[in-house]
Amino acid sequence: MSDNHNLFAALRAAFPADLDKPAIEVLDGPAAGSVYSWRDLDRATAMMANLIDSLALPPASRIAVQTEKSVEALVLYLAVLRAGHVFLPLNTAYQEAEIAYFIGNAEPAMVVCAPKNFTWVSRIAFSSGTAHVFTLGDDRTGSLLERAAHHGDQHTPAVRQADELAAILYTSGTTGRSKGAMLSHGNLLSNAQVLKSYWDWQPRDVLIHALPIFHVHGLFVASHGALLNGSTMLWLNKFEPKTVIAQFPRATVFMGVPTLYVRMLGEAALTKAQTAHMRLFISGSAPLLVETFDAWTERTGHVILERYGMSETVMLTSNPCRATDGARQRGTVGPALPGVGVRVVRDDGNACDTDEIGHIQVQGPNVFAGYWRMPEKTAEEFTTDASGGRWFKTGDVGKRAADGFITIVGRSKDLIISGGYNVYPAEIEGFINEMPGVAESAVVGVPHPDFGEGVIAVVVAKPGATLDAAAMVAKLKTQIANFKVPKHLFVVADLPRNAMGKVQKNLLRDQHKGLFA
């Protein structure tokens, strides 16, 4: 298989010699208690790949999938790779108008949806020229499994080159239309192999998989990690803090977004004794508050490993895993992963000094080729400097310390320019989050007649705490320059978030856009 760069072939080659060992154990949902062996995964992906082959789809067809999380949904992803087509996962929260855009833009040859959505999804798909629409439920029902059951359980993986498309991931689209990031077999495999080594995956490792699988974090980082290491996954369709904590004595690796760590810290069962068997806790997809980082260390004795990646690049940087590689640093996302280039530049493209805030740009075998059917947008998002090759402009703003550790300060689109001064929301949020009684905050800029943009803060109190907005603003005036101090501070019950736990600042900007009118 050495001349076949199909990602599935590499994952299949990593299956343990004993195919009857457990690969996935389901802990919740309709299939709770089910155990899938490695042989089950091999046979099920073969049957689904054979079904896909029988449809005689054009080469490298897009297969769009919007289903609830289940082992069968993961099997479908692997089967699409195995058959040599392009997997297009869609967030389960997307509604009709959004699905219509994605199907119209990607023109998939095949769509798989939840049985309850078949009526409206199939209407959109068929009217867009999609030939095949199947259903897949999280309870092992649906036409996809019914049809696949009639196919054989042997299948030779399609031959694919490293630069051929494996998946298209649509970005969350907080500004303008969602863009389809085109990821190749080589992008995904190179990143999975680097993480296997850098995160020191061990033969005994067991992963608790509690993330969605329509996103880089759950579908690629977590699933590929376990599959490439031949590790058992303890599978949760939905995150439930008590259930996860109860599984720590059986597991060694957990990956989560910051919200999951906050929710587990709210459980009395989270103790040093309960986490004693665990080897590694990883956090990503959104910034981890220093307070959460410290509270987790105090409660469990474990230091969370923070890392940084994007839909377009998979993982880029990571705090060290092995003690021999150095200590993990709170508030940072670590240095660049092996083989990945990360640089911080000024507006004019010149390199920033140590600890100077600038634009983060990246290159490496993990970086995507471009956006689906958006050549102008693709050209815009990459540099063209002849000397240093092609760098992807992440849109993130940050700084690099003397030791190479990267600190993310925010998104360039979140940068507030007030009265001609640059204001970085993350800096102000850091001061607000340290105040007594504050659970979290979000700082945004909204139109202002005098300053161009006015700084405002939206703050959530801890349970039982009462916050005094005026006193908080007065305190900030003693800590930061006046142009950075929020002109209004609102105390709210919670912040709007997307499915990966990221605060949706665009919604906050919309909500308050008329404040200074």
Side-chain angles (χ1 to χ4, degrees):
M1 299 299 286
S2 57
D3 55 344
N4 189 0
H5 297 276
N6 186 325
L7 171 62
F8 176 81
L11 297 175
R12 175 63 187 84
F15 282 17
D18 180 0
L19 290 178
D20 294 315
K21 282 184 171 175
I24 304 178
E25 183 181 325
V26 184
L27 302 178
D28 67 352
S34 307
V35 178
Y36 296 73
S37 68
W38 294 95
R39 191 182 306 281
D40 293 333
L41 293 189
D42 187 36
R43 292 182 60 239
T45 55
M47 291 163 84
M48 266 192 216
N50 282 323
L51 165 60
I52 294 168
D53 287 350
S54 76
L55 304 175
L57 307 178
S61 286
R62 276 80 57 211
I63 296 180
V65 177
Q66 190 199 32
T67 61
E68 296 302 325
K69 182 180 177 182
S70 66
V71 176
E72 284 70 27
L74 179 68
V75 165
L76 171 59
Y77 161 61
L78 296 173
V80 171
L81 294 177
R82 189 168 188 161
H85 295 291
V86 181
F87 191 73
L88 202 160
L90 295 170
N91 189 322
T92 48
Y94 287 147
Q95 302 299 313
E96 283 197 43
E98 293 158 313
I99 294 298
Y101 166 71
F102 295 122
I103 289 177
N105 185 249
E107 296 187 273
M110 171 174 156
V111 171
V112 183
C113 66
K116 64 180 181 185
N117 297 335
F118 178 76
T119 306
W120 64 266
V121 172
S122 62
R123 186 180 68 244
I124 292 168
F126 292 140
S127 67
S128 299
T130 298
H132 307 279
V133 180
F134 294 94
T135 59
L136 176 63
D138 61 0
D139 56 354
R140 297 180 178 156
T141 60
S143 58
L144 183 78
L145 298 180
E146 288 164 14
R147 290 281 299 277
H150 297 290
H151 290 270
D153 62 3
Q154 302 292 309
H155 181 275
T156 303
V159 175
R160 284 293 170 266
Q161 300 308 310
D163 62 355
E164 288 188 88
L165 269 190
I168 297 177
L169 259 71
Y170 279 90
T171 58
S172 47
T174 48
T175 54
R177 290 190 306 151
S178 287
K179 307 181 293 289
M182 299 187 290
L183 293 160
S184 69
H185 289 267
N187 290 151
L188 297 174
L189 180 57
S190 68
N191 207 238
Q193 288 170 333
V194 165
L195 293 176
K196 181 176 189 280
S197 166
Y198 195 77
W199 287 347
D200 203 22
W201 278 86
Q202 300 290 318
R204 70 178 188 94
D205 275 332
V206 172
L207 172 76
I208 297 178
H209 196 307
L211 291 161
I213 55 170
F214 53 72
H215 184 270
V216 161
H217 198 167
L219 184 61
F220 299 152
V221 185
S223 304
H224 290 171
L227 292 168
L228 198 60
N229 196 55
S231 285
T232 302
M233 288 187 253
L234 303 179
W235 188 267
L236 284 154
N237 292 350
K238 298 273 188 294
F239 171 78
E240 204 291 310
K242 287 185 172 66
T243 308
V244 171
I245 292 168
Q247 295 299 324
F248 285 153
R250 301 180 57 213
T252 60
V253 180
F254 176 81
M255 300 184 192
V257 298
T259 312
L260 308 192
Y261 288 99
V262 172
R263 287 179 60 192
M264 287 189 285
L265 281 164
E267 299 291 335
L270 184 73
T271 60
K272 284 189 171 74
Q274 191 64 12
T275 57
H277 189 254
M278 291 293 292
R279 180 178 74 80
L280 186 60
F281 289 99
I282 299 171
S283 178
S285 296
L288 182 73
L289 293 179
V290 166
E291 181 187 19
T292 307
F293 180 98
D294 290 344
W296 190 268
T297 305
E298 193 179 321
R299 281 278 289 282
T300 68
H302 288 274
V303 181
I304 294 173
L305 181 151
E306 268 198 279
R307 86 304 178 276
Y308 163 57
M310 329 178 52
S311 299
E312 293 92 340
T313 65
V314 209
M315 294 302 102
L316 293 161
T317 74
S318 170
N319 268 275
C321 178
R322 299 178 186 86
T324 50
D325 290 336
R328 294 169 205 165
Q329 297 181 22
R330 68 209 278 271
T332 80
V333 292
L337 285 165
V340 177
V342 176
R343 69 182 187 182
V344 183
V345 300
R346 301 184 183 121
D347 290 344
D348 61 9
N350 288 317
C352 287
D353 293 330
T354 299
D355 290 326
E356 180 187 352
I357 292 172
H359 305 281
I360 297 174
Q361 299 180 350
V362 300
Q363 63 178 196
N366 52 309
V367 176
F368 78 136
Y371 294 110
W372 173 254
R373 291 181 176 167
M374 288 187 172
E376 301 85 5
K377 190 67 187 164
T378 298
E380 212 178 285
E381 299 297 332
F382 282 89
T383 64
T384 50
D385 49 330
S387 58
R390 193 165 172 260
W391 292 77
F392 173 59
K393 304 170 188 174
T394 63
D396 288 317
V397 178
K399 58 187 180 179
R400 183 205 291 270
D403 59 7
F405 278 63
I406 301 288
T407 301
I408 309 290
V409 177
R411 294 287 292 165
S412 54
K413 69 175 186 305
D414 291 337
L415 172 71
I416 302 164
I417 302 176
S418 188
Y421 291 107
N422 285 2
V423 179
Y424 295 100
E427 181 191 10
I428 304 161
E429 290 161 2
F431 284 104
I432 295 173
N433 294 340
E434 286 175 7
M435 292 185 185
V438 172
E440 60 177 340
S441 64
V443 170
V444 297
V446 296
H448 192 286
D450 295 332
F451 299 104
E453 284 186 290
V455 180
I456 66 164
V458 185
V459 184
V460 177
K462 288 180 176 170
T466 304
L467 299 177
D468 180 337
M472 293 172 72
V473 170
K475 172 72 173 166
L476 286 170
K477 285 180 176 174
T478 69
Q479 296 175 302
I480 53 178
N482 207 44
F483 69 86
K484 300 177 184 176
V485 174
K487 296 187 174 4
H488 276 277
L489 190 149
F490 300 93
V491 179
V492 299
D494 48 42
L495 297 174
R497 297 181 184 279
N498 68 13
M500 292 310 295
K502 287 182 184 167
V503 175
Q504 294 181 294
K505 290 191 170 182
N506 55 314
L507 298 183
L508 294 175
R509 284 191 285 264
D510 283 348
Q511 190 184 337
H512 297 289
K513 64 186 175 192
L515 186 64
F516 300 112

